[in-house]
Amino acid sequence: MTSLFAFLGKFLCNSIPFIIGNIVSAVSSFYFIGRMEDTLGIGWDGGYFKPFSASQLLVIVSVLNLIPQFLAMMLANGHKNNVKD
């Protein structure tokens, strides 16, 4: 869905929802990770080898999620240029 929203945002010449959506997603994810660790006792301290904490993994996944969004934005830009011609 994030790639679709990025495509539509770029195609409709409005990148503000793209930026706000990513910020809201990261903040809400940090909030729910904290709640899971505090209230349910679900943490990353036991079990299998985990090279990253939950917060570190969230940052990594959020950054990796930007890659398909930027690709979708480039695709929308190319498609928009073809429509104008």
mmCIF file of all heavy atoms in Angstrom, residues 65-85:
data_model
loop_
_atom_site.group_PDB
_atom_site.id
_atom_site.type_symbol
_atom_site.label_atom_id
_atom_site.label_comp_id
_atom_site.label_asym_id
_atom_site.label_seq_id
_atom_site.Cartn_x
_atom_site.Cartn_y
_atom_site.Cartn_z
ATOM 1 N N ASN A 65 11.675 0.169 3.537
ATOM 2 C CA ASN A 65 10.354 0.382 2.945
ATOM 3 C C ASN A 65 10.338 1.622 2.054
ATOM 4 O O ASN A 65 9.481 1.752 1.185
ATOM 5 C CB ASN A 65 9.304 0.505 4.048
ATOM 6 C CG ASN A 65 7.907 0.498 3.513
ATOM 7 O OD1 ASN A 65 7.608 -0.126 2.497
ATOM 8 N ND2 ASN A 65 7.020 1.194 4.187
ATOM 9 N N LEU A 66 11.279 2.527 2.240
ATOM 10 C CA LEU A 66 11.353 3.713 1.395
ATOM 11 C C LEU A 66 11.799 3.376 -0.029
ATOM 12 O O LEU A 66 11.449 4.076 -0.970
ATOM 13 C CB LEU A 66 12.301 4.744 1.998
ATOM 14 C CG LEU A 66 11.831 5.424 3.281
ATOM 15 C CD1 LEU A 66 12.928 6.318 3.826
ATOM 16 C CD2 LEU A 66 10.561 6.215 3.039
ATOM 17 N N ILE A 67 12.554 2.297 -0.196
ATOM 18 C CA ILE A 67 13.074 1.940 -1.522
ATOM 19 C C ILE A 67 11.944 1.687 -2.519
ATOM 20 O O ILE A 67 11.923 2.317 -3.585
ATOM 21 C CB ILE A 67 14.047 0.744 -1.421
ATOM 22 C CG1 ILE A 67 15.290 1.158 -0.630
ATOM 23 C CG2 ILE A 67 14.437 0.240 -2.807
ATOM 24 C CD1 ILE A 67 16.198 0.011 -0.255
ATOM 25 N N PRO A 68 10.976 0.796 -2.239
ATOM 26 C CA PRO A 68 9.895 0.622 -3.220
ATOM 27 C C PRO A 68 9.031 1.870 -3.379
ATOM 28 O O PRO A 68 8.474 2.107 -4.447
ATOM 29 C CB PRO A 68 9.077 -0.560 -2.688
ATOM 30 C CG PRO A 68 9.502 -0.771 -1.302
ATOM 31 C CD PRO A 68 10.855 -0.153 -1.143
ATOM 32 N N GLN A 69 8.948 2.686 -2.334
ATOM 33 C CA GLN A 69 8.177 3.920 -2.456
ATOM 34 C C GLN A 69 8.848 4.880 -3.429
ATOM 35 O O GLN A 69 8.178 5.497 -4.266
ATOM 36 C CB GLN A 69 8.010 4.574 -1.089
ATOM 37 C CG GLN A 69 7.118 3.794 -0.152
ATOM 38 C CD GLN A 69 6.990 4.469 1.191
ATOM 39 O OE1 GLN A 69 6.968 5.685 1.280
ATOM 40 N NE2 GLN A 69 6.909 3.665 2.241
ATOM 41 N N PHE A 70 10.169 5.022 -3.344
ATOM 42 C CA PHE A 70 10.878 5.898 -4.276
ATOM 43 C C PHE A 70 10.818 5.344 -5.700
ATOM 44 O O PHE A 70 10.709 6.106 -6.668
ATOM 45 C CB PHE A 70 12.321 6.115 -3.841
ATOM 46 C CG PHE A 70 12.466 7.062 -2.694
ATOM 47 C CD1 PHE A 70 13.149 6.698 -1.556
ATOM 48 C CD2 PHE A 70 11.907 8.336 -2.745
ATOM 49 C CE1 PHE A 70 13.287 7.569 -0.487
ATOM 50 C CE2 PHE A 70 12.030 9.220 -1.682
ATOM 51 C CZ PHE A 70 12.715 8.829 -0.558
ATOM 52 N N LEU A 71 10.877 4.016 -5.854
ATOM 53 C CA LEU A 71 10.735 3.420 -7.178
ATOM 54 C C LEU A 71 9.351 3.706 -7.757
ATOM 55 O O LEU A 71 9.220 4.018 -8.948
ATOM 56 C CB LEU A 71 10.994 1.910 -7.112
ATOM 57 C CG LEU A 71 12.418 1.480 -6.799
ATOM 58 C CD1 LEU A 71 12.511 -0.023 -6.637
ATOM 59 C CD2 LEU A 71 13.373 1.969 -7.874
ATOM 60 N N ALA A 72 8.324 3.618 -6.921
ATOM 61 C CA ALA A 72 6.971 3.922 -7.380
ATOM 62 C C ALA A 72 6.838 5.389 -7.759
ATOM 63 O O ALA A 72 6.151 5.728 -8.734
ATOM 64 C CB ALA A 72 5.961 3.555 -6.295
ATOM 65 N N MET A 73 7.508 6.260 -7.018
ATOM 66 C CA MET A 73 7.463 7.684 -7.348
ATOM 67 C C MET A 73 8.166 7.965 -8.679
ATOM 68 O O MET A 73 7.692 8.786 -9.469
ATOM 69 C CB MET A 73 8.084 8.503 -6.216
ATOM 70 C CG MET A 73 7.238 8.511 -4.959
ATOM 71 S SD MET A 73 8.034 9.292 -3.565
ATOM 72 C CE MET A 73 7.915 11.004 -4.023
ATOM 73 N N MET A 74 9.268 7.285 -8.941
ATOM 74 C CA MET A 74 9.946 7.458 -10.231
ATOM 75 C C MET A 74 9.077 6.923 -11.366
ATOM 76 O O MET A 74 9.013 7.523 -12.438
ATOM 77 C CB MET A 74 11.311 6.762 -10.217
ATOM 78 C CG MET A 74 12.340 7.479 -9.370
ATOM 79 S SD MET A 74 14.022 6.865 -9.562
ATOM 80 C CE MET A 74 13.865 5.176 -9.023
ATOM 81 N N LEU A 75 8.404 5.808 -11.126
ATOM 82 C CA LEU A 75 7.491 5.249 -12.121
ATOM 83 C C LEU A 75 6.346 6.216 -12.401
ATOM 84 O O LEU A 75 5.970 6.427 -13.557
ATOM 85 C CB LEU A 75 6.949 3.902 -11.639
ATOM 86 C CG LEU A 75 5.996 3.182 -12.562
ATOM 87 C CD1 LEU A 75 6.732 2.728 -13.815
ATOM 88 C CD2 LEU A 75 5.383 1.999 -11.851
ATOM 89 N N ALA A 76 5.802 6.829 -11.374
ATOM 90 C CA ALA A 76 4.720 7.796 -11.549
ATOM 91 C C ALA A 76 5.199 9.018 -12.306
ATOM 92 O O ALA A 76 4.469 9.549 -13.154
ATOM 93 C CB ALA A 76 4.162 8.208 -10.192
ATOM 94 N N ASN A 77 6.406 9.452 -12.027
ATOM 95 C CA ASN A 77 6.958 10.608 -12.733
ATOM 96 C C ASN A 77 7.127 10.299 -14.215
ATOM 97 O O ASN A 77 6.785 11.114 -15.066
ATOM 98 C CB ASN A 77 8.294 11.022 -12.109
ATOM 99 C CG ASN A 77 8.704 12.405 -12.506
ATOM 100 O OD1 ASN A 77 7.892 13.227 -12.875
ATOM 101 N ND2 ASN A 77 9.997 12.660 -12.424
ATOM 102 N N GLY A 78 7.619 9.111 -14.534
ATOM 103 C CA GLY A 78 7.759 8.700 -15.930
ATOM 104 C C GLY A 78 6.409 8.555 -16.612
ATOM 105 O O GLY A 78 6.234 8.950 -17.764
ATOM 106 N N HIS A 79 5.441 8.003 -15.893
ATOM 107 C CA HIS A 79 4.101 7.829 -16.451
ATOM 108 C C HIS A 79 3.431 9.183 -16.675
ATOM 109 O O HIS A 79 2.754 9.388 -17.681
ATOM 110 C CB HIS A 79 3.254 6.959 -15.518
ATOM 111 C CG HIS A 79 1.893 6.657 -16.053
ATOM 112 N ND1 HIS A 79 1.703 5.863 -17.159
ATOM 113 C CD2 HIS A 79 0.664 7.057 -15.646
ATOM 114 C CE1 HIS A 79 0.413 5.791 -17.397
ATOM 115 N NE2 HIS A 79 -0.248 6.495 -16.496
ATOM 116 N N LYS A 80 3.643 10.101 -15.748
ATOM 117 C CA LYS A 80 3.056 11.434 -15.870
ATOM 118 C C LYS A 80 3.642 12.173 -17.066
ATOM 119 O O LYS A 80 2.925 12.851 -17.790
ATOM 120 C CB LYS A 80 3.284 12.232 -14.582
ATOM 121 C CG LYS A 80 2.568 13.563 -14.562
ATOM 122 C CD LYS A 80 2.607 14.225 -13.197
ATOM 123 C CE LYS A 80 4.004 14.520 -12.750
ATOM 124 N NZ LYS A 80 4.072 15.344 -11.547
ATOM 125 N N ASN A 81 4.941 12.003 -17.303
ATOM 126 C CA ASN A 81 5.577 12.639 -18.458
ATOM 127 C C ASN A 81 5.047 12.051 -19.769
ATOM 128 O O ASN A 81 4.889 12.769 -20.747
ATOM 129 C CB ASN A 81 7.096 12.495 -18.392
ATOM 130 C CG ASN A 81 7.697 13.350 -17.300
ATOM 131 O OD1 ASN A 81 7.083 14.314 -16.839
ATOM 132 N ND2 ASN A 81 8.875 12.984 -16.855
ATOM 133 N N ASN A 82 4.754 10.747 -19.806
ATOM 134 C CA ASN A 82 4.197 10.110 -20.996
ATOM 135 C C ASN A 82 2.772 10.572 -21.252
ATOM 136 O O ASN A 82 2.355 10.690 -22.398
ATOM 137 C CB ASN A 82 4.238 8.600 -20.866
ATOM 138 C CG ASN A 82 5.660 8.060 -20.987
ATOM 139 O OD1 ASN A 82 6.536 8.742 -21.503
ATOM 140 N ND2 ASN A 82 5.871 6.872 -20.485
ATOM 141 N N VAL A 83 2.004 10.825 -20.201
ATOM 142 C CA VAL A 83 0.623 11.263 -20.355
ATOM 143 C C VAL A 83 0.579 12.673 -20.926
ATOM 144 O O VAL A 83 -0.293 13.011 -21.734
ATOM 145 C CB VAL A 83 -0.119 11.179 -19.006
ATOM 146 C CG1 VAL A 83 -1.476 11.845 -19.083
ATOM 147 C CG2 VAL A 83 -0.264 9.733 -18.573
ATOM 148 N N LYS A 84 1.531 13.532 -20.528
ATOM 149 C CA LYS A 84 1.567 14.914 -21.012
ATOM 150 C C LYS A 84 1.877 14.987 -22.493
ATOM 151 O O LYS A 84 1.455 15.887 -23.182
ATOM 152 C CB LYS A 84 2.594 15.731 -20.234
ATOM 153 C CG LYS A 84 2.153 16.076 -18.843
ATOM 154 C CD LYS A 84 3.197 16.936 -18.167
ATOM 155 C CE LYS A 84 2.789 17.282 -16.759
ATOM 156 N NZ LYS A 84 3.806 18.078 -16.077
ATOM 157 N N ASP A 85 2.691 14.026 -22.989
ATOM 158 C CA ASP A 85 3.104 14.072 -24.400
ATOM 159 C C ASP A 85 2.042 13.619 -25.340
ATOM 160 O O ASP A 85 1.048 13.305 -25.357
ATOM 161 C CB ASP A 85 4.340 13.173 -24.625
ATOM 162 C CG ASP A 85 5.549 13.726 -23.899
ATOM 163 O OD1 ASP A 85 5.568 14.940 -23.632
ATOM 164 O OD2 ASP A 85 6.464 12.933 -23.620
#
